[in-house]
């Protein structure tokens, strides 16, 4: 109905945009604030500082299915006010103990744990200036991290990978990438079938800032795995929108959002990663102009709620 209920106050807003994750049962929220990971109990509205580490900075927490005793996140050593990197992939138990899973290079994007809890997909910051291979890695339990060889997938000359996501059955990865796709330098949204060399480029597009196009922009699968949605450039060069891929077609299903406010002052500005409801009936998005948008799956009719001044992220809570 568009009503708001305050759960936590006093957050350092720039940090939290991609740094919150609702637990699978909908009872708790992990979020990053001022360099620590907090655990919010939705029922009681009480938050506990899990990490509480003055000598390191933790960000992008994610629940890891099958690991009810903790979560994964990035840990950046040192006391920088806001470090330039996300830190090393680390498992943190709910009592605050930390176990670094990959200490060779910093995360370049938020880690994506597979729904079956067996692996974690993520991108690394390159440390070797002569290393031009795509920066996509997989961590498996009790094994060393392994780089995904994208040359076997016939995607073209992939230069960098941004956000990463999983299909509901943990068999496919969704990626936002940048490189020479076809004959042009452009962005693309693609899926990879991990146990084969099959891949599919869902959409290519140009013109967006690379960082904005790749960050938090991997396709999101519906709970039944039958369709997915993602953010990409719309038909107009000054617009972006939410796109749907259902195995038969790829089409824009949301209203247009302005890429830059001065280009289309009549439109809401920009839009964040879409979030699919647990029952697969709704897709929620947010804009930097303070709107929360809802799209009903199947019908794709928009319903926009005007909210308080700034929205920095959206997710669903199971009740």
């Amino acid at each position: 109905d568009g009503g708001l209920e305050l759960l936590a106050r006093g957050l350092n807003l720039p940090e939290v945009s991609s740094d919150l994750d609702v637990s699978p049962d909908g009872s708790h929220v992990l979020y990053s604030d001022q360099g620590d990971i907090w655990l919010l109990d939705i029922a009681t509205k009480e938050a506990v500082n899990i990490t509480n580490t003055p000598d390191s900075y933790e960000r992008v927490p994610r629940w890891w299915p099958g690991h009810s005793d903790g979560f994964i996140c990035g840990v950046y050593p040192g006391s920088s006010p806001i470090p330039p990197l996300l830190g090393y992939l680390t498992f943190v138990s709910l009592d605050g103990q930390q176990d670094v899973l990959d200490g060779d290079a910093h995360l370049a994007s938020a880690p994506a744990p597979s729904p079956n809890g067996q692996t974690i997909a993520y991108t690394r910051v390159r440390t070797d200036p002569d290393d031009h291979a795509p920066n996509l890695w997989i961590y498996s339990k009790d094994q060393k991290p392994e780089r995904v060889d994208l040359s076997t997938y016939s995607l073209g000359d992939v230069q960098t990978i941004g956000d990463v996501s999983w299909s509901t059955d943990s068999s496919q990865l969704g990626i936002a990438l940048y490189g020479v796709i076809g004959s042009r330098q452009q962005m693309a949204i693609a899926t990879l079938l991990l146990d084969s060399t099959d891949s599919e480029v869902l959409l290519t597009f140009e013109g967006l800032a690379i960082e904005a196009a790749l960050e938090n922009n991997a396709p999101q699968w519906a709970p039944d795995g039958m369709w997915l949605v993602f953010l990409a450039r719309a038909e107009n060069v000054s617009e972006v929108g939410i796109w749907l891929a259902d195995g038969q077609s790829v089409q824009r299903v949301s209203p247009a959002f302005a890429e830059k406010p001065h280009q289309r002052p009549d439109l809401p500005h920009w839009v964040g990663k879409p979030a699919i409801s647990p029952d697969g009936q709704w897709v929620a998005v947010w804009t930097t102009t303070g709107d929360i948008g809802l799209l009903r799956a199947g019908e794709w009719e928009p319903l926009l709620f005007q909210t308080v001044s700034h929205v920095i992220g959206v997710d669903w809570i199971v009740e």
Side-chain angles (χ1 to χ4, degrees), residues 187-190 201-206 208 213 217-222 226-247 249-257 270-276 283-285 295 297 300:
M187 270 72 73
I189 305 296
V201 175
L202 301 175
L203 190 73
T204 59
F205 53 100
E206 302 177 27
L208 295 174
N217 200 23
Q220 304 299 303
W221 268 271
M226 299 302 293
W227 50 269
L228 42 79
V229 289
F230 55 90
L231 171 70
R233 173 173 291 288
E235 294 85 349
N236 187 300
V237 295
S238 64
E239 299 173 2
V240 294
I242 301 299
W243 292 71
L244 166 74
D246 59 7
S249 64
V250 179
Q251 58 182 313
R252 183 167 69 89
V253 293
S254 78
F257 297 91
W270 202 238
V271 61
K273 177 191 290 188
I276 303 173
V283 176
V285 297
L295 298 168
W300 304 110

Side-chain angles (χ1 to χ4, degrees), residues 108-131:
S109 63
S114 62
N116 64 12
Q118 298 301 306
T119 55
I120 302 169
Y122 57 102
T123 56
R124 276 183 176 182
V125 174
R126 293 187 180 94
T127 56
D128 183 353
D130 296 323
D131 178 11

Side-chain angles (χ1 to χ4, degrees), residues 75 90 93 109 123 177 197 224 241-242 291 298:
V75 177
T90 302
S93 63
S109 63
T123 56
L177 62 93
T197 58
D224 63 5
I242 301 299
D291 294 305

Side-chain angles (χ1 to χ4, degrees), residues 7 25 99 107 165 173 186 228 250 276 314:
L7 297 178
D25 65 2
D99 179 19
L107 293 167
S165 64
L173 280 179
Q186 54 191 334
L228 42 79
V250 179
I276 303 173
V314 63

